[in-house]
């Protein structure tokens, strides 16, 4: 009997070595297992740098070689939605539409209903799920509990006022040069505005329609910027003078020149070990919030899997089934352990509890609990907008000027808004055409 040819599924995933730990990705073994369980399919994994993924997919699409599944950084979500194929139609099809309410596909259980809402719903647009997240992270506070104890503080600070008070206490100790540090990085701004229920763009943060207006000088943004500026002015916040200087913050925390450090939850992969090597206890707690405003919650960061449009039914179902397989509880739990990520589903959390992982590593559960507490509002989900990398660069540049050049915060962020609006207008105009076009701005926020 002649063997039927296999249906190939070409999967482009980001290389975890370029954005996470150096642990091996489970996707290769998952693909092998899936192929064995579904012999009519042949899933093939290809690796790409997350920073260049959208541009590489666009080039492939021009030659009719679009991957069946592509993994994009969360800040490239609007660009993914706007990408077009050679036929002028959207390059990707909404996964919610393709799943069409099914509870299983080719025998693989659909995981959507069990996913952490704040991670899953980041990828909703006008109520429709556009992509399925594979990994998530958050911003958390790392605290040197030995230094805090010497300063008379028994718990990590939870609010801005508590952070200020902790810094004032740390300033009285010999040794630390500053109380706290964090990188001048776009994500901290987005998180702080989200926490306060603020919006970055119109149309419900770009979720009920294409974002057309951006506001980087909102009351919520100014609350955060002025608090940050005050910490710096009073000698409590350590600024190295460099944008995105994670390494400088890591070193200051490890050397105990600061007692508090705000960074990605993924950094638990090495910050906890740094404390152990140098003989101090590191606590992990939620990102501090504004005492004067109800807490709306924190937004996710991470990557999502996008499904190519125009696939045959057999190939589409195979691709969707593999996405479910890759996100099944055991795989999601293993991924979280290897890369210090937030488990993408509640069933994966259950697996880690049952294994005793969170009993033995309670600090690694903080980011997930923080994400689960979000209220699901457009503010807490975060913005969807085109030209996001450039717009985020305007935010960090403005803050740099406030910290190093004494710029007045509102005036400087109003100027950042003007420049950001030009970026957004140019992006939208290019995409809208005529003719409608794939975005020429496919940069990924760093």
């Amino acid at each position: 009997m002649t063997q039927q040819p296999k249906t190939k599924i070409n999967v482009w995933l980001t290389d975890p070595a370029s954005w996470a730990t150096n642990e091996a990705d489970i996707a290769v073994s998952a693909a092998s297992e899936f192929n064995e369980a579904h012999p009519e399919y042949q899933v093939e994994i290809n690796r790409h740098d997350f920073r260049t993924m959208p541009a590489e997919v666009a080039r492939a699409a021009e030659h009719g070689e679009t991957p069946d599944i592509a993994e994009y950084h969360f800040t490239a979500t609007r660009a993914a939605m706007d990408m077009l194929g050679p036929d002028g139609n959207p390059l990707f099809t909404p996964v919610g539409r393709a799943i069409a309410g099914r509870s299983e596909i080719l025998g693989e259980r659909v995981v959507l209903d069990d996913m952490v809402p704040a991670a899953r719903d980041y990828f909703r647009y006008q109520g429709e799920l556009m992509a399925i997240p594979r990994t998530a992270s958050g911003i958390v506070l790392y605290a040197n509990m030995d230094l805090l104890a010497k300063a008379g503080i028994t718990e990590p600070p939870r609010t801005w006022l508590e952070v200020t008070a902790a810094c004032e206490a740390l300033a009285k100790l010999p040794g630390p040069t500053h109380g706290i540090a964090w990188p001048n990085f776009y994500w901290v701004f987005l998180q702080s505005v989200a926490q306060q229920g603020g919006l970055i763009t119109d149309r419900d943060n770009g979720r009920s329609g294409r974002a057309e207006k951006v506001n980087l000088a909102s009351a919520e943004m100014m609350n955060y910027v002025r608090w940050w500026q005050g910490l710096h002015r009073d000698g409590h916040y350590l600024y190295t003078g460099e944008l995105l200087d994670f390494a400088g913050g890591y070193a200051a925390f490890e050397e105990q020149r600061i007692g508090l450090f705000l960074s990605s939850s993924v950094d638990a992969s090495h910050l906890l070990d740094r404390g152990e090597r140098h003989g101090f206890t590191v606590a992990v707690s939620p990102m501090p919030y504004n005492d004067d405003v109800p807490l709306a919650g924190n937004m996710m960061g991470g990557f999502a899997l996008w499904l190519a449009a125009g696939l045959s039914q057999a190939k589409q179902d195979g691709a969707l089934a593999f996405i479910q397989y890759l996100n099944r509880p055991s795989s999601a739990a293993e991924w979280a352990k290897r890369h210090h990520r937030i488990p993408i589903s509640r069933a994966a959390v259950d697996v880690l509890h049952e294994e005793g992982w969170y009993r033995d590593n309670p600090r690694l559960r903080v980011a997930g609990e923080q994400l689960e507490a979000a209220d699901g509002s457009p503010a807490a989900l975060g913005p969807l907008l085109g030209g996001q990398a450039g717009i985020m660069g305007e935010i960090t540049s403005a803050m740099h000027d406030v910290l190093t050049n004494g710029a007045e915060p509102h005036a400087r962020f109003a100027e950042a808004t003007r420049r950001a609006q030009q970026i957004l207008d140019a992006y939208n105009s290019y995409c809208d055409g005529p003719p409608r076009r794939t975005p020429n701005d496919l940069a990924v926020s760093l």
Side-chain angles (χ1 to χ4, degrees):
M1 181 182 293
T2 303
Q3 186 175 11
Q4 293 295 319
K6 295 178 182 289
T7 299
K8 291 186 178 181
I9 300 173
N10 190 11
V11 181
W12 285 17
L13 298 179
T14 57
D15 183 356
S18 69
W19 50 262
T21 65
N22 290 320
E23 285 281 344
D25 191 351
I26 61 171
V28 174
S29 59
S32 178
E33 294 166 5
F34 182 86
N35 291 338
E36 185 174 347
H38 301 274
E40 69 274 28
Y41 289 99
Q42 181 66 38
V43 173
E44 298 178 349
I45 305 293
N46 295 279
R47 296 288 180 198
H48 298 267
D49 191 306
F50 80 92
R51 291 160 289 200
T52 59
M53 177 73 84
E56 292 181 35
V57 170
R59 285 194 292 270
E62 290 176 358
H63 297 93
E65 300 172 352
T66 305
D68 304 311
I69 299 170
E71 187 176 39
Y72 278 30
H73 190 254
F74 77 104
T75 60
T77 298
R78 182 71 245 188
M81 291 163 54
D82 290 330
M83 293 181 73
L84 304 178
D87 59 1
N89 292 317
L91 191 64
F92 298 111
T93 193
V95 292
R97 189 182 307 172
I99 291 173
R102 289 176 285 178
S103 60
E104 65 174 43
I105 301 171
L106 303 182
E108 304 296 342
R109 179 177 172 271
V110 173
V111 299
L112 294 185
D113 289 345
D114 187 51
M115 281 192 156
V116 176
R120 178 195 61 210
D121 294 344
Y122 178 88
F123 300 97
R124 286 196 191 279
Y125 176 69
Q126 295 183 332
E128 188 168 38
L129 189 64
M130 308 303 292
I132 296 181
R134 184 166 79 108
T135 188
S137 60
I139 291 185
V140 295
L141 182 69
Y142 298 92
N144 182 327
M145 294 309 297
D146 295 61
L147 285 178
L148 289 183
K150 290 177 182 178
I153 299 169
T154 59
E155 297 290 338
R158 294 298 184 108
T159 69
W160 293 358
L161 287 178
E162 289 180 7
V163 168
T164 300
C167 287
E168 290 171 347
L170 287 167
K172 298 175 182 178
L173 297 178
T177 62
H178 297 77
I180 192 169
W182 62 84
N184 183 4
F185 177 50
Y186 72 89
W187 203 19
V188 294
F189 296 91
L190 296 185
Q191 292 279 9
S192 295
V193 171
Q195 285 182 324
Q196 299 174 76
L199 301 176
I200 298 292
T201 76
D202 62 345
R203 295 188 171 178
D204 299 311
N205 248 356
R207 297 182 170 278
S208 62
R210 179 184 291 276
E212 294 182 336
K213 296 293 181 183
V214 63
N215 183 8
L216 306 183
S218 66
E220 294 82 8
M221 183 73 82
M222 290 299 96
N223 288 339
Y224 178 58
V225 168
R226 289 198 168 100
W227 173 66
W228 183 350
Q229 180 193 35
L231 287 175
H232 182 256
R233 179 194 61 230
D234 295 340
H236 299 314
Y237 170 77
L238 171 64
Y239 187 47
T240 66
E242 300 291 333
L243 303 180
L244 307 174
D245 189 9
F246 286 88
Y250 300 154
F253 188 71
E254 181 175 3
E255 295 162 8
Q256 302 191 70
R257 289 183 280 123
I258 56 174
L260 302 168
F261 183 53
L262 201 62
S263 193
S264 170
S265 57
V266 177
D267 290 331
S269 62
H270 59 94
L271 287 177
L272 305 186
D273 291 339
R274 292 181 190 225
E276 185 174 339
R277 287 199 306 268
H278 291 273
F280 63 90
T281 300
V282 180
V284 180
S285 60
M287 180 178 179
Y289 59 89
N290 185 351
D291 309 68
D292 298 330
V293 178
L295 179 60
N298 287 76
M299 60 176 285
M300 69 89 74
F303 295 77
L305 302 168
W306 292 77
L307 178 68
L311 303 181
S312 68
Q313 191 64 52
K315 178 170 281 198
Q316 178 171 281
D317 282 354
L320 287 171
F322 178 66
I323 291 173
Q324 311 314 311
Y325 192 84
L326 196 55
N327 276 330
R328 71 197 191 282
S330 58
S331 292
E334 185 65 22
W335 175 265
K337 286 195 297 186
R338 291 192 185 192
H339 298 285
H340 291 75
R341 290 276 167 167
I342 297 171
I344 208 66
S345 69
R346 287 161 172 166
V349 173
D350 292 341
V351 169
L352 293 172
H353 277 301
E354 291 164 4
E355 291 180 353
W357 175 255
Y358 285 135
R359 180 196 62 228
D360 298 336
N361 300 277
R363 293 173 292 184
L364 301 183
R365 183 67 188 120
V366 172
E369 292 174 340
Q370 175 176 264
L371 194 61
E372 283 274 19
D375 66 9
S377 64
L381 289 174
L384 298 180
L385 73 166
Q388 185 156 326
I391 292 171
M392 296 302 102
E394 292 298 336
I395 296 177
T396 53
S397 294
M399 195 68 216
H400 179 80
D401 285 347
V402 168
L403 295 176
T404 63
N405 300 324
E408 196 284 318
H410 190 272
R412 183 60 185 85
F413 275 77
E415 174 62 15
T417 297
R418 185 187 67 79
R419 295 179 182 178
Q421 189 63 52
Q422 291 176 340
I423 294 171
L424 181 59
D425 289 345
Y427 175 93
N428 287 342
S429 177
Y430 187 88
C431 290
D432 290 344
R436 291 178 63 240
R437 292 170 286 198
T438 282
N440 61 344
D441 181 355
L442 293 172
V444 175
S445 296
L446 299 177

